[in-house]
Amino acid sequence: MVQRGLGVDTETDENGVILAGHDAVAYFTQGKPVLGKANFTAVHNDAIYRFSSEENRDMFVSNPDKYALKHMADSVLMVQRSVRSLKLTVRHLKL
């Protein structure tokens, strides 16, 4: 399944879990990916989000777009960096 937003496609797994099961709130609170737990979940835009704690799940539920958009923005940045890196590699190979 593919979620669409901000021009970014984020895939869910065969069970409908998004972000490979990582906690979307932890990207904000801890600044890094943290694996969520199956017993702390919420559904947003037909995707299942997992969280590392009840507190993070409750934060997400209170403002899901804030945390879902954070992941999408991070995904865009990762793709942009990958494209730049690829362009540099191709340019280097041409020399």
Side-chain angles (χ1 to χ4, degrees):
M1 178 178 197
V2 175
Q3 301 294 310
R4 303 211 185 275
L6 295 179
V8 179
D9 295 339
T10 54
E11 295 184 24
T12 57
D13 68 12
E14 63 277 356
N15 297 312
V17 175
I18 197 165
L19 306 179
H22 287 85
D23 184 334
V25 174
Y27 286 101
F28 273 97
T29 59
Q30 297 180 34
K32 63 181 182 179
V34 175
L35 200 55
K37 299 176 183 175
N39 56 325
F40 300 122
T41 63
V43 176
H44 179 65
N45 289 337
D46 298 323
I48 299 168
Y49 286 80
R50 288 187 176 173
F51 304 94
S52 57
S53 69
E54 183 177 13
E55 179 183 6
N56 282 8
R57 183 200 54 213
D58 292 347
M59 288 172 66
F60 181 87
V61 169
S62 72
N63 191 357
D65 289 332
K66 174 182 178 179
Y67 300 106
L69 293 176
K70 167 67 174 156
H71 170 69
M72 289 181 195
D74 287 347
S75 295
V76 169
L77 289 174
M78 284 192 300
V79 169
Q80 288 173 338
R81 287 182 189 136
S82 296
V83 168
R84 271 190 246 130
S85 177
L86 181 59
K87 285 179 180 178
L88 289 173
T89 300
V90 169
R91 188 176 339 146
H92 177 73
L93 291 173
K94 287 181 179 178
L95 296 175

